[in-house]
Amino acid sequence: MKAWLDGRLLESPRDRALSVLDHGLVVGDGVFETVAVIDGEPFALTRHLDRLVTSAEGLGIARPDVDAVREGVAATMAGQDLAFGRIRITVTSGPGPLGSPRGDAGLTHVVVTEPAEQPGPVSSIVTVPWTRNERGALAGLKTTSYAENAKMVEYARARGASEAVMANTRGALCEGTGSNVMYIQGGQLVTPTLESGCLAGITRALAIEWLAEELDVVERDSPLESLFGADEVILLGTTRMVQGIERVDDRVLDAPGPLTRRAREIWDRRMAEDLDP
């Protein structure tokens, strides 16, 4: 693992380098991206950096220094032989007061790169009794205010699952804590619209684009309960990529199903063709 902070490569990622007054720590005021490393190269880095800027603008903080972040990515990847890994890019609003108002000292930029174990082809999910507020101030933004997601995923882990999936305030299927959801019904691959309040996932966007060339893919909002009648269920995410789901709550599925396998084949082929689509 290597870490970089505002132009400086840390001697150790465990160095105490961040101010205790940083608003990312004080009130979770920041944005982030997680980028997969495939055979020593970051995947879809440009798309992730574009979304980082979009999230920062949506949050109302200054525009991140994208060129500096790219330097941080290169610095933390140098000398690492990563067959598979992840890069965590975090930008906070910088040092501020011990309260909600922001300071004016400038943004904090952090990049951390580490090897990672690639998730398997299948996993399990549980639905949670909490909702995503599709009309909230942070809807659709990838911010560091993740305590809600942490609570949900711990709820899932306590029940033998790797991810928690939620509805929005209208009861429509929304997303996982760190993934988008797709399900298959009658040969059609269905994923919620962005109006559901889900994050505009990089994997989601690429999957819609790539899979639709060969499969029937639609964006449509439907009740959370649609998962319980689906033929197959898929999670889409940075490190999961296209992952089949073998259990939804107490419902067991034969996973990966035939269309999930086909979707993953298409994904793997297209990803191998272009690492920065």
Side-chain angles (χ1 to χ4, degrees):
M1 180 188 291
K2 290 186 177 181
W4 173 97
L5 171 67
D6 287 334
R8 177 168 62 96
L9 187 65
L10 304 183
E11 291 187 12
S12 167
R14 292 172 179 79
D15 284 354
R16 297 182 180 181
L18 194 67
S19 168
V20 296
L21 297 179
D22 195 281
H23 241 217
L25 173 65
V26 175
V27 294
D29 190 26
V31 297
F32 79 98
E33 289 290 325
T34 300
V35 183
V37 178
I38 310 294
D39 295 329
E41 297 291 335
F43 176 66
L45 180 60
T46 299
R47 285 183 183 244
H48 280 286
L49 293 177
D50 288 346
R51 188 174 63 179
L52 184 78
V53 171
T54 298
S55 292
E57 291 174 343
L59 191 60
I61 63 176
R63 181 185 177 90
D65 187 337
V66 173
D67 290 338
V69 170
R70 284 187 178 274
E71 292 175 6
V73 169
T76 56
M77 291 186 64
Q80 296 208 66
D81 183 15
L82 299 176
F84 186 79
R86 59 187 166 210
I87 305 164
R88 164 73 182 231
I89 302 166
T90 306
V91 178
T92 79
S93 61
L98 295 176
S100 295
R102 291 170 176 150
D104 56 6
L107 303 180
T108 299
H109 299 75
V110 181
V111 180
V112 181
T113 299
E114 66 172 359
E117 183 176 346
Q118 190 164 3
V122 298
S123 191
S124 298
I125 62 175
V126 298
T127 58
V128 296
W130 306 288
T131 59
R132 183 71 84 215
N133 183 1
E134 72 279 7
R135 294 171 292 180
L138 302 183
L141 305 180
K142 197 169 182 67
T143 76
T144 57
S145 300
Y146 243 50
E148 183 177 62
N149 286 344
K151 180 179 176 68
M152 291 184 188
V153 80
E154 288 303 314
Y155 177 96
R157 291 177 63 184
R159 289 157 179 78
S162 70
E163 176 65 302
V165 172
M166 70 210 75
N168 62 20
T169 63
R170 300 191 299 267
L173 174 64
C174 187
E175 63 182 347
T177 66
S179 61
N180 290 108
V181 186
M182 180 177 282
Y183 67 89
I184 298 168
Q185 188 69 57
Q188 193 171 60
L189 284 70
V190 184
T191 195
T193 70
L194 296 181
E195 285 68 34
S196 71
C198 70
L199 183 70
I202 304 300
T203 307
R204 174 189 181 276
L206 287 171
I208 291 172
E209 177 184 339
W210 290 349
L211 302 185
E213 295 175 0
E214 302 182 36
L215 301 172
D216 185 7
V217 180
V218 298
E219 298 176 74
R220 183 174 65 232
D221 292 325
S222 56
L224 176 68
E225 290 76 18
S226 298
L227 293 178
F228 301 113
D231 299 324
E232 302 174 43
V233 177
I234 297 171
L235 285 187
L236 305 170
T238 294
T239 56
R240 295 177 189 270
M241 301 180 192
V242 178
Q243 185 182 54
I245 296 304
E246 61 184 358
R247 180 170 63 85
V248 180
D249 289 347
D250 294 328
R251 182 179 180 232
V252 177
L253 297 164
D254 184 13
L259 284 180
T260 301
R261 291 195 299 271
R262 182 68 182 127
R264 183 59 190 247
E265 290 169 0
I266 296 169
W267 175 270
D268 288 345
R269 185 184 75 244
R270 292 299 303 272
M271 183 176 65
E273 294 171 353
D274 188 358
L275 285 175
D276 199 15

